[in-house]
């Protein structure tokens, strides 16, 4: 753990470390933030909490994919990636939002500490997988942004959801927030390559470069639409699943 976060977090009183939203909930007090632990250990325990949320979700996705394979002879999920946000990235985001650097503020405000990215072959798969996930009783939809229906100005397309997933620890159940990004292979190709080129980097991009990036995004979207139509004509996917 870097000195930076430890130094910043140490400026706050121990009381600050009790997590917002859990303070009055005596029955289900997290075992994860134990005030007798040093900061480094507390941080690692909180990360374990988020990692458990990711594990819970990825297990669900594996089961859904296998079930779909048995029933339909194909996979609606091409691949799944997950990540825990790095401490540097968390601190940067909290500073940008003007938040006090405490664990309590971190857990209450940073909703993408745990992230899962799901890549699907067809647009309909994206929505179907999203619906199947949030229809599970232990997964609750907290927020959704449909950048497929409403792409960002630069051409970015994805379906973003913040869900809370129930995780059972030895003596209690906790709800863990996870950010899920769902995209097609084509959307992912654009987002990954665009990320390499420019996202968050301080490179100067000309208007012409922006235009070209947007053009590439539109080409990807057109390819997705064509593949989608083919899939519908071949009864591989169902248009009823389109959009939220
Ligand atoms: P990383 O490294 O991927 O985690 P916030 O989530 O608070 O930052 P907002 O506006 O609610 O803010 O988030 P939004 O717009 O839903 O997007 C969050 C994530 O989507 C980003 O996470 C990226 O992963 C991805 N994303 C959003 N816009 C773009 C884009 O234009 N290009 C690419 N390649 N990815 C994008 P992070 O935390 O910024 O980065």
């Amino acid at each position: 753990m870097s000195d930076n976060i430890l130094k910043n977090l140490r400026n706050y009183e121990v009381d600050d470390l009790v997590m917002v939203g859990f303070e009055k909930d005596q029955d289900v007090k997290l075992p994860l933030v134990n005030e007798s632990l040093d900061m480094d250990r507390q941080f690692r325990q909180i990360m374990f909490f988020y990692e458990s949320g990711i594990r819970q979700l990825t297990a669900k996705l594996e089961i859904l994919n296998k079930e779909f394979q048995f029933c339909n002879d194909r996979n609606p999920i091409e691949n799944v990636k997950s990540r825990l946000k790095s401490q540097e990235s968390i601190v940067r985001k909290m500073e940008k939002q003007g938040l006090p650097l405490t664990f309590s503020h971190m857990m209450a405000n940073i909703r993408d500490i745990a992230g899962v990215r799901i890549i699907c072959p067809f647009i309909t798969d994206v929505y179907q997988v999203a619906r199947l996930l949030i229809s599970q009783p232990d997964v609750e939809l907290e927020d959704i942004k449909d950048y497929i229906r409403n792409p960002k100005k630069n051409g970015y397309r994805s379906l973003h959801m913040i869900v809370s997933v129930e995780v059972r620890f030895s003596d209690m159940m906790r709800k863990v927030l996870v950010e899920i990004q769902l995209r097609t292979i084509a959307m992912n190709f654009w987002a990954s390559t665009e990320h390499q080129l420019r996202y968050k980097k301080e490179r100067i991009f000309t208007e012409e470069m922006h235009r070209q990036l947007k053009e590439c995004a539109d080409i990807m979207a057109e390819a997705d639409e064509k593949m989608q139509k083919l899939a519908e004509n071949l009864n591989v996917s169902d248009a009823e699943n389109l959009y939220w």
Side-chain angles (χ1 to χ4, degrees):
M1 179 154 196
S2 77
D3 283 338
N4 183 29
I5 190 170
L6 284 179
K7 200 168 71 215
N8 286 326
L9 290 166
R10 276 195 187 113
N11 289 335
Y12 293 88
E13 296 298 323
V14 166
D15 271 0
D16 251 326
L17 300 173
V18 179
M19 284 169 288
V20 167
F22 297 118
E23 289 165 24
K24 295 181 193 117
D25 205 351
Q26 298 300 334
D27 292 339
V28 286
K29 207 168 184 315
L30 263 184
L32 304 169
V33 173
N34 178 334
E35 285 154 27
S36 64
L37 294 177
D38 64 43
M39 302 292 281
D40 181 46
R41 216 169 138 76
Q42 284 190 37
F43 185 79
R44 280 191 281 127
Q45 287 207 355
I46 291 172
M47 287 298 136
F48 160 69
F49 169 76
Y50 285 104
E51 189 192 325
S52 307
I54 288 179
R55 281 179 195 275
Q56 189 85 359
L57 269 178
T58 47
K60 285 176 182 301
L61 289 166
E62 247 176 66
I63 293 166
L64 285 176
N65 214 20
K66 284 240 161 96
E67 183 194 336
F68 204 92
Q69 170 71 53
F70 279 128
C71 302
N72 302 294
D73 261 352
R74 72 172 194 91
N75 295 320
I77 299 173
E78 178 79 15
N79 102 50
V80 176
K81 278 189 179 161
S82 64
R83 66 107 182 88
L84 280 174
K85 211 171 182 69
S86 71
Q87 61 206 354
E88 286 78 13
S89 181
I90 293 172
V91 168
R92 214 179 306 124
K93 195 162 182 174
M94 289 178 78
E95 283 175 345
K96 212 165 136 195
Q97 293 181 14
L99 292 168
L101 291 171
T102 66
F103 290 148
S104 54
H105 284 89
M106 176 179 100
M107 293 189 77
N109 296 287
I110 308 300
R111 302 199 300 171
D112 63 344
I113 293 175
V116 173
R117 186 170 292 154
I118 305 168
I119 313 301
C120 303
F122 301 107
I123 309 173
T124 41
D125 293 330
V126 165
Y127 290 97
Q128 192 175 13
V129 171
R131 281 199 190 93
L132 287 171
L133 261 186
I134 60 162
S135 67
Q136 304 213 356
D138 52 350
V139 179
E140 210 173 305
L141 181 66
E142 301 281 339
D143 195 11
I144 184 160
K145 287 184 198 161
D146 190 344
Y147 295 126
I148 298 177
R149 198 159 205 174
N150 305 300
K152 287 196 169 183
K153 229 175 108 205
N154 62 0
Y156 176 76
R157 285 173 170 83
S158 264
L159 181 67
H160 289 193
M161 302 196 295
I162 305 286
V163 300
S164 72
V165 56
E166 290 179 5
V167 182
R168 273 162 221 288
F169 295 98
S170 58
D171 57 350
M172 67 186 67
M173 182 278 286
R174 297 301 315 172
K175 291 187 174 188
V176 182
L177 282 189
V178 181
E179 185 199 62
I180 305 179
Q181 297 181 351
L182 297 110
R183 321 168 165 156
T184 62
I185 300 165
M187 291 168 200
N188 193 50
F189 166 75
W190 184 90
S192 306
T193 45
E194 187 258 8
H195 190 274
Q196 300 260 329
L197 288 177
R198 64 168 289 277
Y199 194 60
K200 283 187 175 167
K201 305 221 168 67
E202 260 109 63
R203 292 198 185 128
I204 312 244
F205 257 72
T206 61
E207 278 301 307
E208 174 57 15
M209 288 168 172
H210 284 295
R211 196 196 58 75
Q212 285 185 23
L213 268 177
K214 171 73 171 48
E215 192 179 50
C216 288
D218 293 343
I219 291 169
M220 292 298 124
E222 205 185 314
D224 262 339
E225 291 289 332
K226 281 193 176 151
M227 288 302 219
Q228 182 60 49
K229 284 274 166 287
L230 278 171
E232 282 164 27
N233 291 339
L234 294 165
N235 289 328
V236 168
S237 101
D238 188 348
E240 272 185 20
N241 281 319
L242 259 190
Y243 303 117
W244 202 249

